[in-house]
Amino acid sequence: VGTLAQRNIVLVGFPGTGKSTVGKVLAEQLGWRFVDTDDYIELKQGTRISKMFRELGEPAFRRIESEAIAAVLEGSEQVIATGGGAVLAESNRICMQKGGYVIALKADSETIINRVKQDMNRPLIQGDVNERVQALLETRRHAYDFADLMIDSSLVSVEEIVGQILSAIK
Ligand code: S3P
């Protein structure tokens, strides 16, 4: 795949598909830095993402997110976990494809709902979690298809997923 020459591994996927969990373990195994773009944004802005959605609105958050993705992808030897909506802008997708090997994690809706239902820092999944997840999954049905590799995280352990990624990039 020539992946390691591509400098970064970018994990994309719906919220709750395991991007951060998998990314941390993968980075450790590769000896690369782990970067979570949501954490990067919160650190830079000094605010929680939920607060940014509330006070600035989603379009402003998306602009900040695009800047963060471009900035992080300047670096190399990083495993980068992105926010679930980071793939929506074409410019972000192009930036990811240029700067790294893009891996999409997916999971079935039941798995996703179980993973996200406790988390209050996901502004797009507040209220009726079931309904919100189903609706968002529907609108984003093909949003992650541009990835170089797609892995289902529903029924496999983090170690197995990391193993699959490592053998795909070797
Ligand atoms: C979002 C997902 C979140 C975060 C923001 C918007 C989305 O990241 O970037 O709340 O649009 O799906 P996670 O995928 O880490 O939950």
Side-chain angles (χ1 to χ4, degrees):
V1 205
T3 311
L4 295 180
Q6 289 184 14
R7 309 182 304 139
N8 295 298
I9 290 176
V10 185
L11 299 174
V12 301
F14 200 82
T17 50
K19 292 164 291 182
S20 302
T21 314
V22 167
K24 280 178 196 155
V25 178
L26 180 63
E28 211 173 273
Q29 302 245 341
L30 288 169
W32 285 10
R33 195 150 53 102
F34 173 71
V35 183
D36 184 305
T37 58
D38 285 338
D39 293 345
Y40 177 95
I41 291 166
E42 290 192 336
L43 209 71
K44 280 242 154 185
Q45 301 292 317
T47 341
R48 300 310 303 269
I49 284 173
S50 49
K51 201 168 172 210
M52 280 180 242
F53 267 75
R54 232 178 14 252
E55 293 181 356
L56 307 172
E58 183 171 348
F61 169 76
R62 296 299 176 198
R63 279 195 295 277
I64 294 167
E65 183 177 48
S66 294
E67 283 166 22
I69 287 165
V72 171
L73 279 159
E74 293 279 314
S76 59
E77 303 205 338
Q78 310 171 97
V79 176
I80 303 161
T82 59
V87 300
L88 300 176
E90 190 189 17
S91 56
N92 290 353
R93 296 197 297 271
I94 291 169
C95 186
M96 292 178 201
Q97 283 173 315
K98 277 193 184 148
Y101 184 67
V102 183
I103 301 174
L105 297 181
K106 62 175 189 172
D108 55 62
S109 56
E110 200 187 326
T111 303
I112 288 172
I113 288 160
N114 277 320
R115 288 178 186 164
V116 304
K117 68 182 171 204
Q118 309 296 356
D119 193 341
M120 300 315 288
N121 198 31
R122 285 192 165 107
L124 291 180
I125 309 178
Q126 297 305 307
D128 186 332
V129 175
N130 249 297
E131 201 177 290
R132 285 298 298 145
V133 167
Q134 300 290 359
L136 258 191
L137 271 175
E138 186 57 35
T139 54
R140 293 187 182 172
R141 208 207 290 235
H142 296 294
Y144 308 100
D145 292 357
F146 75 105
D148 299 303
L149 176 70
M150 180 95 76
I151 296 179
D152 196 316
S153 74
S154 309
L155 300 168
V156 278
S157 68
V158 174
E159 289 69 27
E160 279 175 276
I161 297 166
V162 170
Q164 281 182 43
I165 294 172
L166 289 175
S167 57
I169 65 175
K170 283 288 144 65

